[in-house]
Amino acid sequence: MTGKGLITWPTGAKYEGEFSGGYLHGHGTFTHSTGCIYTGGWRMDAHHGIGKKEYSNSDIYEGLWKEGIREGCGRYSWKNGNMYIGNWKSGQIDGRGVMKWANGDIFDGCWLNGLKQGSGVYRFADGGLYIGTWSKGLKDGKGTFYPTGSKQPSLKKLCSLNSNDNGLLLNTEKHTPPKQKFTRSFSEKASVSGRSKSSRQISHRTSSLDSNWNLQDPAGDCICRDSSPTLSQTFSESQSEASGVNSLVFEREYMQGVLIMERTRNNSEMSHKNKRQNKFSMKQVKKSSWIDIFGGRRSYYLKLNLQLGIRYTVGKITPVPAREVRSSDFGDRARIRMYFPKEGSQLTPPHCSIDFYWKDYCPMVFRNLREMFKLDAAEYMMSICGDSGLRDISSPGKSGSIFFLSQDDRFVIKTLKKYELKVLLNMLPKYYHHVGSYENTLITKFFGLHRITLKGGKKVRFVVMGNMFCTELHIHRRYDLKGSSQGRYTNEDKINSHTTLKDLDLKYEFHMDKKLRESLFKQISLDCMFLQSQHIIDYSLLLGLHFRAPENLKALVEPPGLTQPQQSLPSGDDEHKQGEQLIIPKGLLLVAHEPSFVNTAPGPHIRGNTLRAYSIGDKQVDLLLPGTARLRVQLGVNMPAQAARKVQEDKVEESEVELFEVYDVVLYMGIIDILQEYTVKKKLEHACKSLQYDPMTISVVEPKTYAERFINFMEKKVFPEPETP
């Protein structure tokens, strides 16, 4: 069948439109026997392109389809008046979008698998406004609440906030939410007898494809969570206060939907503070040596050049037969060079950027490293060079480097200074051997080293790394630990939801399984000895904490049915007793490792084999988070612990015993900033000369001493003697 026509089935289903090669292909209207009607594009019996579908329950979807599934931009209207406009992926609400409820509430922000995920703005019908972050549909992290009548940020500011791609690298949120909330109710298959083979094929595929997709209205879940007893009470109190003083705003912090902290601030003070911070950040940006290379569109051109170069390099090196790395693969001749003119060439495609020269360092070494880290070449290339592109993120440090993040949050691209590139190239042979010998290493994983040169001679060097905070859980606290006390604290006025805290800000003492602790500190020692051998002393341990909400409070904000069924637990009484070991009552659970129950797909934050725990008989373990997920425990990833903090004396009544706050936490950690060359003595001599000090009176920390002090701090959290500034 080819051309236009009409086909009907005995069940009452009907299609009128275009055919091609025996398939529904082109534009047409399909009326299902249940009353569901689809009008739009088709490709080989599947909805494809722009189309409109009116469901039998009066729901309507207008937008893009791909192979029979909602994919791209679209609008979904529920019969109860709720409406969503935004991005879809694999049939689910995913990406940036706006949800408007029938009661007037509006949420504009990020979504993942049908749930609010990441940064967003929630505007209440009565005028209240909340700006913050969400995780799996629940408020999680810090945010700001503006009561009705208060001065609120401008629309332009809110848009820029939501376009910030979830903030800094250290605040990257990558979760694995519950399974999709879309149910398919397949209509009965059309039974056609006495037809041609092609007709039977169309009948069968169309009835299965056009099954009545009923999208569960996420409005119910969202409203239930946002109007939980805890939140409703706080909201009403905020409204009563706001009626008298309209200049007040509330800085809040949530933990899985539970309000754990609220601080009142004056709106004018916050505005003044934000202006000062913006002014400061602008000055910092101007210090970068390569920031003005591309003019006003530098970010766009730089990202496009990166994608073109990486796509070319991976495509060129992947077909080469796999072999062991040779010493020549680390040499000066182990480079790939290519010129990318704007109009294209025989080897390069035309592009919209500016002409540039591309240089790839040690391609065979990094190809083997990616395979060692179990990264598929096509997956790596699509993550960085896909249609979604790269995202800008702010620099969390003082280096002035530019950072990009892949759309799936798995990879970080950082610009390097010339000496940093030399350090990495010099240490690359030893680094390759180290990560090959210790698969549980905590040291940053490198996937590629490249350079872009413009016609004027200006060069930008960058490295591709794994994002250690590409995790299923939200990171509530981040610490950059050096084992030092000199200047290692953060001013309270500068702390926000994206701040990375320092050594003296860490008030917690961690307790974990004996076997897990031994494995952790053994690897830290091995990694520090490697860095010592490379004369590197400026490294840090990046620590991320995920706090678990108390179960008695969490029950107030979770609607029935959210907790996952216990079928994921090992079956049998013996396995149940042996597998589950409480770290803290109703908190985190250590269970015997079951590969079929956890996601074992490799990623840039995966650091080797599953760990063993002493508490369950020296067996491999998984971490069970009641009502959330089951995760594989690895070194530096998904490590369960208790965090204890001594209660300040001024906050408790006089007592003969010390009081402690104890939390369930999941730890994420990795050793970063390892590309700092050992030039401390030269820097000290230069500083002393400008300050008129005698350099001979200044002691220099040797790598060996630094490694020992670092390990001692991590094990016992004992600071050395105060250092010379």
Side-chain angles (χ1 to χ4, degrees), residues 95-257:
R96 176 74 183 276
V98 179
M99 174 71 74
K100 182 177 181 180
W101 287 269
N103 66 352
D105 289 358
I106 298 176
F107 174 78
D108 182 357
C110 301
W111 299 77
L112 186 65
N113 290 357
L115 297 173
K116 297 190 287 288
Q117 181 82 15
S119 59
V121 179
Y122 196 106
R123 185 180 295 277
F124 296 90
D126 56 7
L129 185 72
Y130 179 77
I131 304 173
T133 57
W134 279 257
S135 176
K136 299 183 181 179
L138 299 174
K139 293 186 180 72
D140 203 6
K142 294 185 178 181
T144 306
F145 175 69
Y146 297 84
T148 304
S150 63
K151 184 179 179 181
Q152 299 177 356
S154 64
L155 181 61
K156 182 178 180 180
K157 182 177 179 180
L158 296 182
C159 292
S160 63
L161 173 79
N162 270 341
S163 302
N164 196 27
D165 297 316
N166 294 343
L168 302 177
L169 156 69
L170 302 180
N171 193 36
T172 302
E173 300 164 358
K174 176 73 176 175
H175 305 274
T176 304
K179 294 183 179 179
Q180 54 184 356
K181 301 180 68 112
F182 301 90
T183 58
R184 269 176 145 171
S185 54
F186 289 92
S187 58
E188 78 178 282
K189 299 177 181 179
S191 58
V192 184
S193 59
R195 292 192 180 182
S196 64
K197 180 179 178 181
S198 60
S199 298
R200 288 197 301 270
Q201 181 186 26
I202 295 174
S203 171
H204 172 73
R205 291 192 61 187
T206 307
S207 57
S208 299
L209 150 101
D210 197 61
S211 54
N212 187 15
W213 284 58
N214 289 325
L215 174 65
Q216 291 184 3
D217 185 358
D221 290 338
C222 294
I223 291 178
C224 180
R225 293 165 191 163
D226 278 329
S227 57
S228 62
T230 307
L231 179 59
S232 297
Q233 181 182 359
T234 311
F235 180 78
S236 60
E237 291 174 0
S238 303
Q239 294 289 56
S240 62
E241 284 192 58
S243 61
V245 184
N246 290 335
S247 61
L248 291 181
V249 297
F250 300 88
E251 292 185 355
R252 293 178 173 177
E253 183 172 4
Y254 289 86
M255 185 187 298
Q256 290 126 51

Side-chain angles (χ1 to χ4, degrees), residues 182-391:
F182 301 90
T183 58
R184 269 176 145 171
S185 54
F186 289 92
S187 58
E188 78 178 282
K189 299 177 181 179
S191 58
V192 184
S193 59
R195 292 192 180 182
S196 64
K197 180 179 178 181
S198 60
S199 298
R200 288 197 301 270
Q201 181 186 26
I202 295 174
S203 171
H204 172 73
R205 291 192 61 187
T206 307
S207 57
S208 299
L209 150 101
D210 197 61
S211 54
N212 187 15
W213 284 58
N214 289 325
L215 174 65
Q216 291 184 3
D217 185 358
D221 290 338
C222 294
I223 291 178
C224 180
R225 293 165 191 163
D226 278 329
S227 57
S228 62
T230 307
L231 179 59
S232 297
Q233 181 182 359
T234 311
F235 180 78
S236 60
E237 291 174 0
S238 303
Q239 294 289 56
S240 62
E241 284 192 58
S243 61
V245 184
N246 290 335
S247 61
L248 291 181
V249 297
F250 300 88
E251 292 185 355
R252 293 178 173 177
E253 183 172 4
Y254 289 86
M255 185 187 298
Q256 290 126 51
V258 178
L259 181 63
I260 61 173
M261 187 275 291
E262 183 177 77
R263 183 167 53 183
T264 305
R265 283 204 175 184
N266 190 289
N267 205 345
S268 58
E269 292 178 1
M270 290 190 62
S271 301
H272 182 64
K273 177 184 174 183
N274 291 336
K275 287 181 180 178
R276 282 189 296 143
Q277 288 179 347
N278 291 337
K279 197 180 222 179
F280 176 77
S281 61
M282 287 176 62
K283 289 182 180 178
Q284 293 295 322
V285 166
K286 289 181 180 179
K287 291 182 180 180
S288 178
S289 59
W290 49 69
I291 204 72
D292 295 322
I293 289 177
F294 299 101
R297 304 188 68 189
R298 60 181 180 273
S299 179
Y300 168 77
Y301 289 140
L302 182 57
K303 288 186 286 189
L304 184 57
N305 292 352
L306 296 181
Q307 291 178 307
L308 289 168
I310 291 176
R311 187 184 295 117
Y312 174 82
T313 298
V314 176
K316 185 178 180 66
I317 196 67
T318 300
V320 177
R323 62 173 175 80
E324 291 294 327
V325 173
R326 307 165 185 163
S327 58
S328 59
D329 294 324
F330 297 95
D332 294 337
R333 294 187 178 182
R335 308 284 191 268
I336 292 180
R337 297 176 176 86
M338 181 54 60
Y339 176 56
F340 284 81
K342 187 175 183 180
E343 62 277 5
S345 65
Q346 292 183 350
L347 300 176
T348 63
H351 55 84
C352 302
S353 184
I354 55 181
D355 299 348
F356 69 97
Y357 292 89
W358 174 262
K359 187 175 183 180
D360 187 88
Y361 296 89
C362 307
M364 183 57 71
V365 176
F366 285 104
R367 175 239 174 107
N368 282 25
L369 280 173
R370 291 192 293 267
E371 292 180 353
M372 189 185 301
F373 297 141
K374 301 179 182 178
L375 278 179
D376 179 71
E379 182 183 0
Y380 174 73
M381 188 164 55
M382 286 302 299
S383 178
I384 297 177
C385 308
D387 295 335
S388 299
L390 301 172
R391 295 150 41 192

Side-chain angles (χ1 to χ4, degrees), residues 9 30 43 263 451 709:
W9 289 268
F30 183 89
R43 187 169 76 176
R263 183 167 53 183
R451 189 185 76 184
R709 288 166 53 173

Side-chain angles (χ1 to χ4, degrees), residues 418-436:
K418 185 176 181 179
Y419 79 85
E420 291 177 320
L421 182 138
K422 288 184 176 180
V423 170
L424 180 53
L425 288 176
N426 291 335
M427 69 181 290
L428 191 57
K430 298 285 184 66
Y431 172 84
Y432 182 85
H433 179 265
H434 181 79
V435 299

